Amino acid sequence: MSTSTLPTAAEAGRPAAAPAATPRKGRRRGEVSPLGRLTSHGILIMASLIALFPVAWLVFLSLGPDKDDYLRPGGIWGKMTLDNYSFVLQNTNFFDWLKSSLIVSLGTTVIGVLVAATTGYAVSRMRFPGYKKFMWVLLVTQMFPVAVLMVPMYQILSDLQLIDSYLGLILVYCSTAVPYCAWLMKGYFDTIPFEIDEAGRVDGLTPFGTFARLILPLAKPGLAVAAFYSFITAFGEVAFATTFMLDDKKYTLAVGLQSFVSEHDAQRNLMAATAVLIAIPVSAFFYLVQKNLVAGLTAGGTKG
């Protein structure tokens, strides 16, 4: 009994098939190597530690009971206490300072953002005579130092009987915050498609109605940045508040902080505790607005 076999490729006159190549494992485009990932994480960790160190050091100094503990910080470990915070809250005008700071800062934020948003929208969408020069005038106002502006502002507030008043200080801070925020909002409004305004007019909305009902909701990231800038500008300013506020109960927190330093003495432990307490409202405000500090809400606003 005979068996037959199939002819091989060589016997049939055909070239033999090459063996299958083993696929090479390589990084895809944009993929970071383990070493690169480790390096980037290390740099970010170091940058975070550098940024957090001054805050941690301030908190640490605020726990020292003596005003000269900053000269010997190692001795704080054995005598940490919260007495500095108790003294500041119970024996100073801290809550009056906090009330003044919140009134001035929130007032500056509301008025400043409203004026800056309407100004930025008008310049972005409307072509009235001199609209470009108007924005440059706003920019020029930022070039004058505080020392030059102090005397004329004091004279104006005195004529308006706004010295030692919250409204006067709010208007002064708005003169600082509005020009920058107007430029910021103008640039953000330029990124919003003009077709949205046209759609609002087709639906019968007035220009202000289009601005309030369609544009502002899309401009939340820009509004959040402008609000945060206006808030911290008013919350931490010292020169104008020291000059225009005469009643010690109307001092802002930044001015009240100076009361711990005199010509012959400096209570740095109380200063550190007050500085930590001052940071709490700013941190809370940032937490409220940080979710809107992400651009790109206009994606998909128009089709086509």
Side-chain angles (χ1 to χ4, degrees), residues 74-221:
I76 297 178
W77 291 106
K79 53 181 180 180
M80 287 186 177
T81 178
L82 297 176
D83 291 345
N84 293 329
Y85 294 94
S86 300
F87 182 88
V88 169
L89 295 175
Q90 297 175 8
N91 298 286
T92 67
N93 294 326
F94 177 82
F95 290 104
D96 292 329
W97 302 339
L98 177 61
K99 181 188 72 173
S100 299
S101 292
L102 291 178
I103 291 175
V104 172
S105 300
L106 294 177
T108 302
T109 301
V110 173
I111 297 177
V113 172
L114 178 62
V115 174
T118 51
T119 301
Y121 179 75
V123 176
S124 175
R125 292 297 195 264
M126 302 175 185
R127 295 297 178 261
F128 52 89
Y131 73 97
K132 290 184 178 179
K133 294 180 180 179
F134 175 73
M135 294 301 292
W136 283 108
V137 169
L138 290 179
L139 186 62
V140 169
T141 61
Q142 301 294 288
M143 300 180 182
F144 296 99
V146 174
V148 175
L149 299 175
M150 195 75 70
V151 174
M153 282 188 173
Y154 190 93
Q155 184 63 46
I156 293 173
L157 293 181
S158 179
D159 294 340
L160 297 176
Q161 297 183 352
L162 292 178
I163 297 294
D164 198 27
S165 69
Y166 294 132
L167 178 59
L169 194 57
I170 288 172
L171 294 178
V172 169
Y173 288 153
C174 284
S175 67
T176 303
V178 166
Y180 172 79
C181 294
W183 270 94
L184 173 71
M185 295 307 303
K186 191 264 182 187
Y188 197 89
F189 288 137
D190 287 343
T191 65
I192 298 178
F194 189 74
E195 289 80 357
I196 296 179
D197 300 68
E198 295 177 344
R201 293 170 185 170
V202 170
D203 292 338
L205 293 176
T206 62
F208 185 80
T210 302
F211 168 71
R213 298 180 62 179
L214 299 181
I215 304 301
L216 282 185
L218 296 175
K220 283 184 179 180

Side-chain angles (χ1 to χ4, degrees), residues 37-51:
R37 189 181 301 110
L38 180 63
T39 302
S40 62
H41 286 180
I43 294 174
L44 291 175
I45 292 174
M46 288 298 298
S48 301
L49 292 176
I50 293 173

